[in-house]
Amino acid sequence: MSSAPLPPSYEELAALVVELKLLVSAQATTIAELTARNAEQAERIAELERQVSSDSHNSSKPPSSDGLRKRPAPKSLRQRSGRKPGRAKGDPGGRLEQVADPDVILDHHPAACGGCGNDLAGAVSTGYRARQVFDLPKIAPEVTEHRLHRAVCGCGHTTSATAPEHVPAATVYGTGVRAAVCYLSAYQHLPAKRLAEAMDSLFGLPLSTGTVLSVLARAHDGLTGFEEQVKEHLTAAPVAHADESGVRVAGKLHWLHVMCTHLVTFYGIHTQRGRIAMNDLGVLPAFTGTLVTDALASYTIYGNSKALCGAHVLRELIAVTEDTRRDPTWATTMIQVLIEAKTAVAEAVAAGQDALDADVLAGFQDRYRHAALCGIAANPYSGTGPRAKARALAERLHDRTEEYQRYMTDFSVPFDNNQAERDLRMIKTQQKVSGSWRTPTGARRFARIRSYISTVRKHGVNPLTALRDLFAGRPWMLPTTS
């Protein structure tokens, strides 16, 4: 008979226990690493899902980036105004109306009676109904010939008349043609080749692309003084707006910067987005008023005071409320505070007041502060790695409270940065219609001419009239204040 196996010795059991402890420790370490990796991957997946679901209603993306895919209509943050939809009472609208003095009158008389059929050739008219047709006449260029006569003096010397300054050659394009070229290029966004084709089709004027570029170059040079005046106006403005957007120039990323008020617009092209560009363009370093911007850090050193765009932060808060992984209560509360305060300010302005009631203002500020602190508490941060978007937003709202509440305490400052966004929106149209610029020179010409057109429109001046004056040597300038 074989003997039974001997039980393990104490030393063998102790060694096995040590081995099992090491195995458990290694597995615990692996589990912790996998748990951390899973959390990191879950955060990464959530961030990618957030990026996919981001559009113009919950981020700073422009509506033009939404594409053709239909999304469910988001709940509007606008409050009911009580007005019925459609044209407001008293608004003339855009309906075609008859005029009292038509250019051409054509009389139509009935030839025979509609009842008995008798001839009505000699009948007297007892009245008429007018119908008017609004049409464009055939457009043809008007050619003005300047004849420079020569005269012979009694002394025998022949003297020729001097040509006007705007007629330097045997054939030239007039101010109207040049104005149309600039308008179609910088405001209607036609590239040079299509612009030349449009001038031929519309006006019977065959232009070369070289002529188009020459006209734009002359306009750019003629607006040097205007641009300097705009910069001076902006640096002295009590409130101004600034923004920027990426553009392609010569195949590389550049930035179109805008600084504006409700009266003037300045555009500048630069290879950089931040402070290097802002300093080089020469407006913001001398600005001393309140600067309204988004939360880009580069703007923080400019102006005596700052105001952050409420529309931007509302879109960020909406994105937080759509994130199902975290409690969105604080974001919903903050949205309500910002919109209610905006409404209260609008009502106070309409009532002729220059400030909110102290208790009302304190109430908004207390609710704002509480919502920001709740946002920080609802999104804890371990101190390592990147912060979650919601956490970063809550911290920014808390740290930059005064800038987000500027519109509550200073009625001269608007709630949002829509002025700059409206002035910058056209760059998306430019990119869709004409694409990018081939050269930095072409981009700079566009920016300066567009600044001129945008500014004159803000003053109610027809841009074609202002462009004609530019090529006549008397560009429109800002009115001087006494």
Side-chain angles (χ1 to χ4, degrees), residues 258-290:
V258 62
M259 186 172 178
C260 57
T261 68
H262 68 289
L263 291 176
V264 299
T265 309
F266 167 76
Y267 296 109
I269 294 282
H270 203 281
T271 57
Q272 301 292 319
R273 182 185 189 186
R275 293 176 184 172
I276 293 176
M278 296 170 186
N279 290 336
D280 288 347
L281 293 173
V283 180
L284 287 176
F287 178 68
T288 57
T290 299

Side-chain angles (χ1 to χ4, degrees), residues 10 98 447 457:
Y10 175 79
Q98 289 192 347
R457 291 187 76 250

Side-chain angles (χ1 to χ4, degrees), residues 71 160 210 283 308 354 444 446:
R71 297 178 182 267
S160 297
V283 180
L308 289 176
D354 57 5
R444 287 192 291 269
F446 171 89

Side-chain angles (χ1 to χ4, degrees), residues 390-409:
R391 169 80 182 202
L393 174 59
E395 289 183 355
R396 184 182 353 123
L397 284 162
H398 178 267
D399 296 341
R400 305 184 71 175
T401 295
E402 186 176 342
E403 296 164 66
Y404 276 118
Q405 293 182 1
R406 185 76 61 191
Y407 74 98
M408 302 184 198
T409 58

